[in-house]
Amino acid sequence: MHTTRSGSLQAGVFARCRALSVIGLLLLMVGFLTATPATANASSGWELILDRPPPGFGGMDFVSPDEGWVAGAGLFHTTDGGATWEEAVQLSGTDVDFADADHGWLVGSGIYATTDGGETWSKQTSGTNIPLSDVFALSPSEAFAVGSSEGFGDLIELPFASVLIHTTDGGTTWSAIELPPGAWFNEITFSGNSGWAAGDRCPSESESSGCYPTSAALLRTSDRGATWESIELDESLDKIHSLNFLTETSGWAVGVSCGEVACESSVIATKDGGLTWEPTGSLAGTIEDLVVQDEMNAWAVTQTCEFQVDNCELRVQRTNDGGDNWTGLLFRQARFRTSASLHINAGNVYIPSDVLRSTDGGTTFEPMQHPGLFFRQVEFVNSNVGFAVDGASIFRTDDAGRSWRTVGPSPGSASDIVFLSQTTGFAIVTDCCQGFFEVHRTVDGGASWQAVYSSTSFRLSSLQDAHFSGDRGWFVLDEGVLVTEDGGLTWAERLLEDSGRRFVDAALAGAESAWAILEPVGFGEPLSLVRTEDRGQTWIEVTTPVEAAWGHRIEASDELHVWFTTTICETEDCSFVLVSTSNGGKTWEETITGSGQTLIYDLTFTDPLNGWMSSQSGYCSGCTTAVSHTADGGRTWHNQLSDDYLSGDTLYLGSFDFVDNKTGWFLLSSTRGFGPGGGPINRTQLYHTTNGSGGPIGVPPTPTIQLPKVGTAVPNGGSNLLSFTLVVGGLALSLSAAAVAVARRRRRA
């Protein structure tokens, strides 16, 4: 058997455990120009066969024991108490709250509202660009929302901004409430006519100049929000969150106090409406969230981590004596620190952040079924059977990627998978910060795994490429090679002699040969192209017609045909260059495919003529993702994107997987963008081609995707409508209405 693997998305983005060079970061901030577009092939080459939000859940609200909503990368809906969820509409947010079964609000980087039980969602004008983190609905006409810029954005900007907004007409208009200077609020709750907003603030002497938050902040109203007062809290409290008020005077919360080394959290309670707080008992670990049922019964989810960030345990704990004593059980272990949240409804306990539900009072937790997926990688072994990994689970498809099922847990938090057949495969587990690297092997299609290699060397981390021929195989890693002679049961490492260099990317061209690009660990030295003919025992430097710069990808279809990309700059002018050889490096040919800087995420060739390239131009604002195809070995390229569908304030990452020169897949994941009205929302999209002709990718969508596709809201000053265009079976439908209808939603009885 012969299996080869192109440079993957993980090798360039996810699994690489080092930062971009200073030059690379500066160029990224400048922005990238697109490759020269060409007319797309009119034939139907690519089909969107999977379109899912990632499974991250945030704020949850139930309108009955059975019907509920949860916000995340999509807005999800349940009618069976949370056993199963469906994506109601493609709007993302941080919190959702309903005043009754029909009237609710969704907040994130904007506000959407429904007045018909979620059949339609209308964008509202909030009057602020500050991200909103919490919303509380007092009635069908009245609601409060709060948020701050703390924790958002690419760079930390001080002072942070915060907002508290209020509506009394169902959201037609929102008014801002004046906040004390130097304070930022992220949570709001009400009991009767009394309400509280919690967050943190600067020390009083720094309020005018800005600071990093160092103490807790709490606002209170006793007249339904007409006036607010700032409550002076104990100076030892650095933050207060998870507000739970049972009456207008009695409430619980989580208080955080930080020392020079670490922070400690505790459950605190008040009997006077929040004026004073006292601890109610002790809980080990960091309290992530707290939910109170009555004066005696409460739930908390805690997290305990080694070294503050890794090897974590999350526990759900319960008290029935007012917080004096807590009991619970371990429900999850994780390698890294994560956030966790709680929700209680009709006796059920929910962990929205982990999509878990308990129907027996927290004794056991079961996963809730939902449509969310986030694939780090897909790996197909033939035209129908493929595997995917999301860091926690291994998935399998038997219908070319249209549907997926979980086959077992991922070993550790696997960053890469390599499957040789429907039963035999390998998973790579890496923690470069701790110098931890493992290879796991499966012989039952991912249902179970056995560790076959382990190293604590900081020189081994992300997988660059893999090749197997029978029982003989090898992996190229960051600073060395692993080889096996027995089908992966045992491995031997061959590290680079020069520990001051590491592979940027590698392409295995055969059972013994490979090409790779090396970069120095130090700054300012040139990259170099190298090759090996003995599975990494020795590497020989190869002379090329261009001086290596940055942004490299390398690919080989066989031992003679090799391609690599680079961006070269002369003074302020830069050019993106593809360099290729058809005689094993004796001569090279340059192809200029674009001006300016272009990031290449994946480059793959299925034979000496047919290749595909995934690239990104622009950064953060005005980004455009390009998918290009060549049928002449890279001399000419044709853009397969039918329009600027993949553009905006979102960074898209795309990788290919082909089993032959006609059958392939393109996995597209967005890594930026959140909140309703805030640009493209996060999706995991899988495209499929069976003719390799390079037809258009993007719109028109196929009937296999979830509907509707939510368009961009009309800016302020317009009619505040949402619009989108859907093309099915050649018929274009342009829809514009005050809200977008949710497809396939089950009506309430």
Short mmCIF file of all heavy atoms in Angstrom, two decimals, residues 170-193:
data_model
loop_
_atom_site.label_atom_id
_atom_site.label_comp_id
_atom_site.label_asym_id
_atom_site.label_seq_id
_atom_site.Cartn_x
_atom_site.Cartn_y
_atom_site.Cartn_z
N GLY A 170 -39.90 46.94 23.45
CA GLY A 170 -39.63 45.71 22.72
C GLY A 170 -38.37 45.72 21.90
O GLY A 170 -38.15 44.81 21.11
N GLY A 171 -37.54 46.74 22.06
CA GLY A 171 -36.28 46.83 21.34
C GLY A 171 -36.31 47.74 20.14
O GLY A 171 -35.31 47.85 19.43
N THR A 172 -37.44 48.41 19.91
CA THR A 172 -37.47 49.38 18.81
C THR A 172 -36.42 50.46 19.05
O THR A 172 -35.73 50.90 18.12
CB THR A 172 -38.86 50.02 18.70
OG1 THR A 172 -39.83 48.98 18.47
CG2 THR A 172 -38.91 51.02 17.56
N THR A 173 -36.30 50.87 20.31
CA THR A 173 -35.24 51.81 20.69
C THR A 173 -34.55 51.28 21.94
O THR A 173 -35.18 50.67 22.82
CB THR A 173 -35.78 53.21 20.97
OG1 THR A 173 -36.77 53.14 22.02
CG2 THR A 173 -36.42 53.80 19.72
N TRP A 174 -33.24 51.50 22.03
CA TRP A 174 -32.44 51.17 23.20
C TRP A 174 -31.74 52.43 23.67
O TRP A 174 -31.21 53.20 22.86
CB TRP A 174 -31.39 50.11 22.87
CG TRP A 174 -31.95 48.74 22.61
CD1 TRP A 174 -32.47 48.26 21.45
CD2 TRP A 174 -32.04 47.67 23.56
NE1 TRP A 174 -32.88 46.97 21.60
CE2 TRP A 174 -32.62 46.56 22.88
CE3 TRP A 174 -31.67 47.51 24.89
CZ2 TRP A 174 -32.85 45.34 23.50
CZ3 TRP A 174 -31.89 46.30 25.51
CH2 TRP A 174 -32.48 45.22 24.83
N SER A 175 -31.74 52.66 24.97
CA SER A 175 -31.07 53.83 25.55
C SER A 175 -29.95 53.37 26.47
O SER A 175 -30.06 52.34 27.15
CB SER A 175 -32.06 54.70 26.33
OG SER A 175 -32.67 53.95 27.37
N ALA A 176 -28.85 54.12 26.48
CA ALA A 176 -27.69 53.79 27.30
C ALA A 176 -27.84 54.41 28.68
O ALA A 176 -28.30 55.55 28.83
CB ALA A 176 -26.42 54.28 26.64
N ILE A 177 -27.43 53.67 29.69
CA ILE A 177 -27.44 54.13 31.08
C ILE A 177 -26.02 54.52 31.47
O ILE A 177 -25.06 53.79 31.19
CB ILE A 177 -27.97 53.02 32.01
CG1 ILE A 177 -29.44 52.71 31.65
CG2 ILE A 177 -27.84 53.41 33.47
CD1 ILE A 177 -29.98 51.49 32.34
N GLU A 178 -25.88 55.67 32.09
CA GLU A 178 -24.55 56.15 32.46
C GLU A 178 -23.92 55.23 33.50
O GLU A 178 -24.56 54.83 34.48
CB GLU A 178 -24.64 57.57 33.02
CG GLU A 178 -23.28 58.19 33.32
CD GLU A 178 -23.38 59.62 33.80
OE1 GLU A 178 -24.52 60.15 33.84
OE2 GLU A 178 -22.32 60.20 34.14
N LEU A 179 -22.67 54.88 33.26
CA LEU A 179 -21.94 53.98 34.15
C LEU A 179 -20.84 54.74 34.88
O LEU A 179 -20.33 55.75 34.38
CB LEU A 179 -21.31 52.83 33.35
CG LEU A 179 -22.30 51.90 32.64
CD1 LEU A 179 -21.55 50.87 31.79
CD2 LEU A 179 -23.19 51.20 33.65
N PRO A 180 -20.45 54.27 36.06
CA PRO A 180 -19.35 54.94 36.78
C PRO A 180 -18.06 54.80 35.99
O PRO A 180 -17.82 53.80 35.32
CB PRO A 180 -19.28 54.18 38.11
CG PRO A 180 -19.94 52.87 37.84
CD PRO A 180 -21.00 53.14 36.82
N PRO A 181 -17.19 55.81 36.04
CA PRO A 181 -15.93 55.75 35.28
C PRO A 181 -15.03 54.65 35.79
O PRO A 181 -15.02 54.32 36.97
CB PRO A 181 -15.32 57.14 35.51
CG PRO A 181 -15.92 57.61 36.80
CD PRO A 181 -17.30 57.06 36.84
N GLY A 182 -14.28 54.06 34.85
CA GLY A 182 -13.31 53.05 35.23
C GLY A 182 -13.91 51.73 35.65
O GLY A 182 -13.25 50.96 36.36
N ALA A 183 -15.15 51.43 35.23
CA ALA A 183 -15.79 50.17 35.60
C ALA A 183 -16.35 49.51 34.35
O ALA A 183 -16.79 50.19 33.41
CB ALA A 183 -16.89 50.41 36.62
N TRP A 184 -16.33 48.17 34.34
CA TRP A 184 -16.79 47.40 33.18
C TRP A 184 -17.67 46.27 33.66
O TRP A 184 -17.33 45.56 34.61
CB TRP A 184 -15.58 46.84 32.41
CG TRP A 184 -14.61 47.95 32.12
CD1 TRP A 184 -14.68 48.85 31.10
CD2 TRP A 184 -13.47 48.30 32.89
NE1 TRP A 184 -13.64 49.73 31.19
CE2 TRP A 184 -12.87 49.42 32.27
CE3 TRP A 184 -12.88 47.77 34.04
CZ2 TRP A 184 -11.73 50.02 32.76
CZ3 TRP A 184 -11.74 48.38 34.54
CH2 TRP A 184 -11.18 49.49 33.89
N PHE A 185 -18.81 46.09 33.01
CA PHE A 185 -19.82 45.16 33.48
C PHE A 185 -20.14 44.13 32.40
O PHE A 185 -20.23 44.46 31.21
CB PHE A 185 -21.09 45.92 33.89
CG PHE A 185 -20.83 46.90 35.00
CD1 PHE A 185 -20.50 48.22 34.73
CD2 PHE A 185 -20.90 46.49 36.32
CE1 PHE A 185 -20.24 49.12 35.75
CE2 PHE A 185 -20.63 47.39 37.35
CZ PHE A 185 -20.30 48.69 37.07
N ASN A 186 -20.29 42.86 32.85
CA ASN A 186 -20.51 41.77 31.91
C ASN A 186 -21.69 40.88 32.28
O ASN A 186 -21.97 39.92 31.57
CB ASN A 186 -19.25 40.89 31.84
CG ASN A 186 -18.06 41.63 31.26
OD1 ASN A 186 -18.06 41.99 30.09
ND2 ASN A 186 -17.07 41.89 32.09
N GLU A 187 -22.38 41.19 33.37
CA GLU A 187 -23.46 40.32 33.83
C GLU A 187 -24.55 41.16 34.46
O GLU A 187 -24.27 42.15 35.15
CB GLU A 187 -22.92 39.31 34.84
CG GLU A 187 -23.91 38.24 35.24
CD GLU A 187 -23.27 37.17 36.09
OE1 GLU A 187 -22.02 37.09 36.10
OE2 GLU A 187 -24.01 36.41 36.75
N ILE A 188 -25.83 40.77 34.23
CA ILE A 188 -26.95 41.50 34.80
C ILE A 188 -28.05 40.53 35.18
O ILE A 188 -28.26 39.50 34.50
CB ILE A 188 -27.48 42.56 33.80
CG1 ILE A 188 -28.50 43.46 34.48
CG2 ILE A 188 -28.05 41.91 32.54
CD1 ILE A 188 -28.82 44.72 33.69
N THR A 189 -28.75 40.81 36.29
CA THR A 189 -29.87 39.98 36.72
C THR A 189 -30.86 40.83 37.49
O THR A 189 -30.51 41.92 37.98
CB THR A 189 -29.38 38.81 37.59
OG1 THR A 189 -30.44 37.88 37.77
CG2 THR A 189 -28.88 39.28 38.94
N PHE A 190 -32.10 40.33 37.60
CA PHE A 190 -33.17 41.03 38.31
C PHE A 190 -33.92 40.06 39.20
O PHE A 190 -34.00 38.86 38.93
CB PHE A 190 -34.15 41.68 37.33
CG PHE A 190 -33.76 43.04 36.86
CD1 PHE A 190 -32.83 43.18 35.85
CD2 PHE A 190 -34.30 44.17 37.44
CE1 PHE A 190 -32.46 44.44 35.41
CE2 PHE A 190 -33.93 45.44 37.01
CZ PHE A 190 -33.01 45.58 36.00
N SER A 191 -34.50 40.61 40.29
CA SER A 191 -35.47 39.92 41.12
C SER A 191 -36.50 40.96 41.53
O SER A 191 -36.18 41.90 42.28
CB SER A 191 -34.81 39.31 42.36
OG SER A 191 -35.76 38.68 43.19
N GLY A 192 -37.71 40.82 41.01
CA GLY A 192 -38.72 41.85 41.25
C GLY A 192 -38.32 43.15 40.60
O GLY A 192 -37.91 43.20 39.43
N ASN A 193 -38.38 44.22 41.37
CA ASN A 193 -37.98 45.53 40.86
C ASN A 193 -36.50 45.83 41.07
O ASN A 193 -36.02 46.88 40.64
CB ASN A 193 -38.82 46.63 41.53
CG ASN A 193 -40.26 46.61 41.09
OD1 ASN A 193 -40.55 46.36 39.92
ND2 ASN A 193 -41.18 46.87 42.02
#
